Amino acid sequence: MNRMTDFFTRIDLVIVLLAGLLSIAGLLAVYSATYSSDTGSSDFFSKQIVFVFFGLLLMITVNYIPVRFVQKMALPFYFLCLFLLIMVLFI
C-alpha cells in the first residue's frame, strides 16, 4: 500500500469533521464576543485561529501513537499527574 494512502486511511474523517465544525462554532463565538467596531479587528480571534490550527494538527498527530504505548504509559502518566497536582499545594 502506498504511504500516502496509508496516512489518510488512519485518519477518522468523522472525528476530524466534527472537531472542525466545533472549532468553527467556537471561532464564531469568540469573534462575536470580542469584535470591536472601533478598531474593526479582534486580537483574541486571530490568536484563537492559531490555537485551533495547532490543536487539529496535534489531534491528527496523536492519532499515530500506537495504542499499546498509550496503555503501557497510562499508569506512570497518571502517577506523574497526581504528583504534580500535589506539588501545586506546596509551591
Side-chain angles (χ1 to χ4, degrees):
M1 185 176 262
N2 189 356
R3 287 184 76 175
M4 197 57 142
T5 56
D6 185 41
F7 174 78
F8 287 114
T9 56
R10 288 206 48 189
I11 295 175
D12 188 2
L13 288 178
V14 174
I15 291 177
V16 172
L17 288 175
L18 288 175
L21 287 173
L22 283 173
S23 298
I24 289 170
L27 285 172
L28 288 174
V30 168
Y31 181 76
S32 68
T34 60
Y35 180 77
S36 173
S37 61
D38 298 333
T39 61
S41 68
S42 175
D43 292 335
F44 292 114
F45 179 69
S46 54
K47 288 179 187 178
Q48 196 69 24
I49 288 176
V50 173
F51 293 141
V52 165
F53 173 74
F54 283 120
L56 291 175
L57 188 66
L58 182 67
M59 181 184 77
I60 292 171
T61 304
V62 167
N63 185 42
Y64 288 95
I65 296 175
V67 176
R68 298 297 259 173
F69 177 76
V70 174
Q71 289 173 340
K72 187 167 52 169
M73 295 305 294
L75 196 60
F77 186 69
Y78 173 74
F79 286 120
L80 173 68
C81 289
L82 282 179
F83 173 73
L84 291 174
L85 281 172
I86 291 170
M87 290 306 294
V88 167
L89 295 173
F90 300 109
I91 295 177

